[in-house]
């Protein structure tokens, strides 16, 4: 337990010798350190997030008024496709891999992932996949004129992607950019699965593993199962486009519905791939700030595994309007509603954790508390959409857009913000500013609700998604204007966030090793941790090794 | 066009006038009610926790460490399971009510073909072909008559959605989907393509005109007649028939037999052009012929670059096609 001895002095930030910029840059490029790769994942995810956020804002300006002329149809369709593709593959995924990379080895008391070089490979495949996608803006039409980013929507339904309807190479960039990054994601997922299986420190049985690690482990396994169907479908689409195959070519006997099965067999579990890290973060932050252990740990593990498994049997709920048999629709309504149960159990357990605690509402906890409310609403609109006949009305309408933004912003992004505020001190040695953090929280949550609560309504009034313009007088005008106004409010929040990160990196309050009085192993080492993480590999006897250390009179292991 | 029929401007799923849409609205109230109650309860618990269990300043004693409770876990597992089970039963019943409905013998059969970016409408039993404005009879007491639609696509996936009449059904190439409506009120109901289908997805609008049974019969008779041949616009007709208009458009009774674009035989019986992107008035029609892309950028109809006098003549000719 020597390494847990907190008398080991932490190095204060800025103490290390400053190398020249070129050397430091070189260091980041050649690194195989899980912490540096994790930070690079998160940083590139944030950059892609800002780019895709600007795209969303441009679309919202176009839709603020009926028959607006800010964007033409082609530009709008490209922005819409790039926004969705970027947010899913180049923001959500790197956030998962970033936090998993940085924290899993630290939380299980390991020195790195199982395959550090494979880890670096995974990151660079992801990054260059993203850059290739964006290169389409100048490269896709070759010599013949202006480039075109993909414009077939992020789920790229056949046969719109066939050569007949999608000329040029934009769709090929969409395929190849995602294909490359999927190779990286698969590599990193293998790495994570192996690491958790084999590299836990002495004493850390599966029953003592932090729930954060458990959830990300299930998530990595899920990635392995679901990315391959997407990759296979994309290769088939490439065959269609270049080799004259007819998998999805409806003019030659191919099937448009086949693509949807492939895509959503990936696409729906992908939603859980994205949201599980949010659950992992909430399961870490809520106990620490409530000053209580997580309520119902074994049930939470079981619920996570249930979600992982059921998530692979719900994909047809994206296809209720395709015209499948009533029996198929009924089955997938049942499976989709079933997944609400383990998700609900998680919500209840987080509430059970807060109940009877002494809750400290620091910024990470603010985000997690807001998440609980927003995510319940997201889940309920999800059950509404699982009700097949209602989905016949609301599928592909703005109600769906509002629903999944509640999932991915109110669910995922809120928790990513929580995680950034929570672990920033560990990664940099400096605290993020509390006051700016509260401003960020206030403006962003306000803007989010102003944008996405009203967005449900035009969907209920018959407004389909993915339209670049609409006729006046349908009852949609005022709602769309409010939605667009909300985006501006969110942007204010984001500016506070960026300012906070930049100013705190330079002059934030020094954090110390364990600023939150937390319980998992990453807080036992210095902030930032040394390259080898722990001087001596720790030994644990319970789920909360640092609680045991701080409370020798009442250690957790006595209750196990 | 029946002047007595109001246009329902807001395609609102809460104002259904047809059986499938009405079934969905009923289900909505069940789901909305239960969801609202759950949201209030959970939100209330969060609020309670946040106020009741907030740490007071200076209070740094740790609270009692509680690890869980199997009884409580069991309770909050079983309650959601029961709720979900009830919702599932209601869902399954409505699915079968709508999807398993067999067409009665006197049902009107219509084939709707999605094109980039307009709707071709065929009445196989009646020999009528039109575009973008679907006429169906109201199903009134004494003359109940649902309309069954066969959905086909000429190119990519589209989706048929008129919220006040029925939920949407995709229009998938190489596949024949079926859906049905049974409107009980006359009027014009708005809908539009609901599956992204390319550049002009946004302007692939659809109107459904529900006529009284008598009006519908009269409309069918009018549509079955060949195009009027007005000698006053012979010049425009000559231009129309001698340019490539005829490659894509049909005007029954003339040499124009194209099928890539909408049938124009009774163009003036429709209230809109360009699949609802513009009103069917002289100025808009002329502007459309001059340059469709000014109204609907990316539309597949090319600008024909006709001299002004020919544009005037063609517009005059088309304006006679009642």
């Amino acid at each position: 337990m020597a390494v847990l001895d907190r008398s080991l002095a932490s190095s204060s930030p800025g103490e290390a010798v400053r190398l020249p910029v070129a050397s430091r840059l070189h260091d980041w490029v050649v690194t195989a350190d899980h912490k540096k790769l994790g930070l690079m994942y998160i940083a590139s995810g944030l950059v892609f997030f800002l780019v895709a956020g600007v795209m969303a804002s441009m679309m919202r300006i176009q839709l603020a008024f009926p028959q607006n002329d800010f964007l033409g149809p082609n530009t709008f369709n490209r922005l819409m496709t790039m926004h969705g593709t970027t947010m899913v593959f180049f923001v959500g995924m790197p956030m998962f891999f970033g936090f998993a990379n940085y924290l899993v080895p630290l939380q299980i008391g390991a020195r790195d992932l199982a395959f550090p070089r494979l880890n670096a490979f995974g990151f660079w495949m992801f990054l260059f996949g993203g850059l290739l996608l964006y290169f389409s803006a100048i490269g896709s039409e070759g010599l013949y004129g202006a480039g075109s980013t993909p414009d077939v929507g992020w789920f790229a339904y056949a046969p719109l992607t066939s050569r007949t309807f999608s000329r040029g190479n934009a769709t090929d960039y969409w395929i190849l950019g995602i294909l490359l990054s999927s190779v990286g994601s698969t590599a990193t997922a293998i790495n994570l699965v192996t690491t958790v299986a084999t590299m836990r420190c002495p004493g850390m049985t599966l029953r003592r593993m932090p729930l954060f690690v458990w959830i990300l482990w299930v998530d990595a396994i899920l990635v392995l199962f679901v990315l391959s169907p997407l990759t296979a479908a994309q290769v088939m689409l490439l065959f269609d486009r270049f080799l004259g195959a007819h998998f999805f070519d409806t003019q030659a006997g191919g099937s448009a519905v086949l693509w949807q099965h492939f895509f959503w067999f990936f696409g729906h579990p992908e939603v859980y791939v994205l949201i599980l890290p949010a659950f992992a973060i909430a399961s870490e932050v809520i106990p620490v700030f409530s000053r209580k252990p997580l309520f119902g740990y074994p049930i939470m593990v079981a619920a996570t595994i249930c979600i992982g498994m059921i998530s692979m049997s719900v994909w047809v709920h994206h296809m209720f309007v395709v015209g499948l048999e009533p029996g198929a629709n009924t089955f997938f309504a049942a499976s989709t509603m079933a997944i609400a149960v383990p998700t609900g159990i998680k919500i209840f357990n987080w509430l059970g954790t807060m109940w009877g605690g002494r809750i400290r509402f620091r910024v990470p906890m603010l985000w997690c508390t807001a998440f609980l409310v927003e995510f319940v609403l997201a889940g309920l609109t999800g059950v509404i959409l699982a009700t097949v006949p209602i989905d016949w009305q609301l599928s592909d309408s703005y109600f769906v857009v509002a629903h999944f933004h509640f999932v991915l912003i109110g669910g995922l992004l809120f928790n990513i913000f929580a995680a950034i505020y929570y672990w920033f001190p560990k990664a940099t040695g400096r605290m993020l500013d509390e006051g700016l953090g509260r401003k960020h929280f206030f403006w962003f949550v306000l803007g989010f609700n102003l944008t996405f609560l009203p967005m449900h309504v035009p969907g209920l009034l018959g407004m389909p998604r993915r339209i670049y313009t609409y006729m006046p007088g349908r009852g949609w005008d005022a709602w769309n204007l409010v939605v667009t106004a909300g985006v501006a409010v969110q942007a204010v929040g984001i500016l506070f966030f960026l300012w906070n990160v930049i100013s705190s990196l330079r002059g934030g309050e020094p954090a110390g090793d364990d600023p939150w009085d937390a319980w998992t192993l990453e807080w036992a080492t210095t902030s930032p941790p040394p390259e080898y993480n722990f001087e001596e590999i720790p030994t644990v006897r319970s789920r909360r090794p640092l609680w045991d250390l701080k409370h020798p009179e009442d250690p957790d292991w006595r209750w196990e | 066009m029946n002047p007595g029929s109001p246009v329902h401007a807001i395609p609102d799923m809460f104002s259904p006038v047809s059986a499938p849409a009405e079934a969905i609205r009923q289900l909505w109230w069940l789901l909305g009610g239960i969801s609202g109650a759950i949201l209030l309860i959970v939100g209330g618990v969060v609020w309670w926790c946040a106020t009741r269990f907030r740490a007071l300043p200076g209070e740094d004693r740790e609270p009692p460490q509680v690890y869980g409770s199997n009884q409580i876990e069991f309770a909050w597992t079983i309650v959601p399971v029961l709720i979900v089970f009830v919702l599932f039963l209601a869902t399954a019943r409505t699915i079968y009510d709508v999807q398993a409905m067999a067409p009665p013998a006197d049902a009107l059969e219509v084939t709707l073909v999605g094109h980039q970016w307009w709707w071709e409408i065929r009445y196989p039993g009646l020999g009528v072909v039109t575009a973008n404005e679907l006429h169906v009879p109201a199903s009134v007491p004494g003359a109940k008559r649902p309309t069954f639609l066969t959905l086909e696509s000429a190119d990519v996936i589209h989706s048929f959605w008129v919220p006040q009449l029925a939920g949407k059904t995709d229009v998938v190439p190489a596949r024949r989907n079926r859906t049905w409506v049974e409107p009980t009120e006359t009027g014009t109901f708005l809908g539009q393509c609901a599956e992204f289908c390319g550049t002009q997805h946004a302007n692939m609008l659809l109107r459904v005109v529900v006529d009284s049974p008598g009006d519908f019969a009269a409309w069918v008779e009018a549509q079955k007649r060949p195009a009027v041949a007005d000698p006053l616009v012979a010049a425009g007709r000559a231009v129309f028939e001698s340019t490539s208009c005829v490659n894509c458009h049909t005007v029954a009774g003339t040499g124009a037999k194209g099928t890539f674009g909408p049938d124009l035989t009774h163009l003036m019986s429709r209230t809109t052009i360009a699949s609802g992107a513009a009103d069917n008035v002289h100025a808009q029609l002329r502007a459309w012929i001059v340059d469709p892309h000014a109204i609907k950028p990316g539309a597949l109809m090319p600008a024909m670059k006709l001299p002004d006098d020919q544009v005037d003549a063609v517009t005059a000719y088309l304006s006679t096609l009642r």
Side-chain angles (χ1 to χ4, degrees), chain A residues 6 288-289 291 360 362 421-427 429-432 509-519 522-527 546 550:
Chain A
R6 289 149 53 72
V288 167
F289 289 87
R291 309 309 303 158
R360 299 173 187 168
R362 303 294 297 275
Y421 281 89
Y422 184 66
W423 280 296
F424 187 89
K426 179 48 62 184
R430 292 182 185 277
M431 305 293 285
L432 281 169
E509 185 191 327
D513 294 348
D514 182 15
W516 310 113
D517 194 7
W519 304 312
E522 75 269 30
W523 306 103
T525 183
T526 57
S527 305
L546 266 65
K550 295 167 187 171

Side-chain angles (χ1 to χ4, degrees), chain B residues 8-74:
Chain B
H8 297 262
I10 300 176
D12 170 9
M13 64 177 270
F14 298 110
S15 314
V17 298
S18 154
E22 174 57 34
I24 294 171
R25 181 176 66 163
Q26 287 171 8
L27 201 53
W28 167 270
W29 291 125
L30 175 70
L31 265 289
I34 292 178
S35 302
I38 294 175
L39 183 65
L40 282 181
I41 293 169
V42 178
V45 174
V46 173
W47 182 256
W48 175 260
C49 286
T51 50
R52 172 70 183 74
F53 301 114
R54 162 183 237 134
L56 302 171
E59 188 183 28
D60 47 9
R61 200 166 41 88
E62 300 282 15
Q65 301 293 297
V66 179
Y67 298 88
S69 152
N70 286 342
Q71 288 86 343
I72 294 178
E73 297 285 357
F74 183 74

Side-chain angles (χ1 to χ4, degrees), chain A residues 234-496:
Chain A
Q234 289 185 316
V235 171
M236 288 157 77
L237 184 56
L238 276 181
F239 280 9
D240 272 14
R241 286 178 61 85
F242 286 99
L243 302 179
H246 304 300
F247 293 110
F248 310 117
D249 178 0
T250 47
Q251 292 171 322
S255 166
V257 179
L258 178 65
W259 169 268
Q260 297 191 21
H261 280 297
F262 269 113
F263 188 86
W264 291 118
F265 187 81
F266 149 79
H268 197 79
E270 172 68 11
V271 175
Y272 289 91
V273 168
L274 297 177
I275 198 69
L276 281 174
F279 294 171
I281 292 161
S283 305
E284 206 56 33
V285 169
I286 290 176
V288 167
F289 289 87
S290 302
R291 309 309 303 158
K292 278 177 64 200
L294 190 76
F295 195 89
Y297 169 95
I299 311 291
M300 287 294 256
V301 172
T304 306
I305 294 170
C306 275
I307 289 175
M309 300 210 300
I310 304 176
S311 77
M312 285 186 273
S313 64
V314 300
W315 77 93
V316 170
H317 70 217
H318 295 268
M319 301 166 58
F320 285 152
V321 295
V322 164
L324 302 179
E325 294 298 307
N329 286 339
T330 308
F331 173 85
F332 284 97
S335 63
T336 305
M337 288 180 172
I339 208 166
V341 175
T343 314
I345 291 172
K346 279 181 176 280
I347 301 265
F348 299 142
N349 276 301
W350 290 318
L351 288 173
T353 307
M354 289 168 72
W355 191 275
R358 302 240 192 291
I359 306 171
R360 299 173 187 168
F361 281 103
R362 303 294 297 275
V363 177
M365 188 62 185
L366 288 178
W367 284 112
C368 284
T369 312
F371 148 75
L372 286 177
V373 181
E374 313 283 17
F375 191 70
V376 169
L377 182 58
L380 291 169
T381 52
V383 174
I384 289 174
L385 288 169
T387 308
V388 179
I390 297 181
D391 187 74
W392 290 334
Q393 286 285 16
L394 296 179
S395 175
D396 279 313
S397 80
Y398 259 88
F399 189 89
V400 172
V401 182
H403 158 72
F404 69 73
H405 281 89
F406 257 82
V407 174
L408 292 176
I409 299 180
L412 175 60
L413 186 62
F414 278 23
N415 275 305
I416 286 175
F417 284 140
I420 290 175
Y421 281 89
Y422 184 66
W423 280 296
F424 187 89
K426 179 48 62 184
T428 65
R430 292 182 185 277
M431 305 293 285
L432 281 169
D433 185 76
E434 185 82 6
L436 284 174
R438 282 171 186 273
K439 288 197 179 73
H440 167 208
F441 173 79
F442 172 80
W443 286 96
F444 193 82
V445 173
L446 181 73
F448 165 74
N449 285 292
L450 199 58
T451 304
F452 293 104
L453 273 178
M455 191 185 276
H456 290 93
V457 181
L460 296 170
L461 298 181
M463 179 170 171
R465 62 193 284 205
R466 308 174 144 193
I467 53 174
Y468 79 97
T469 188
Y470 54 94
M471 292 286 167
R474 307 251 152 137
W476 308 340
D477 313 14
W479 298 103
N480 276 290
L481 191 58
V482 173
V483 168
T484 302
V487 175
V489 181
Q490 288 186 69
V492 174
I494 293 293
L495 290 179
F496 276 118

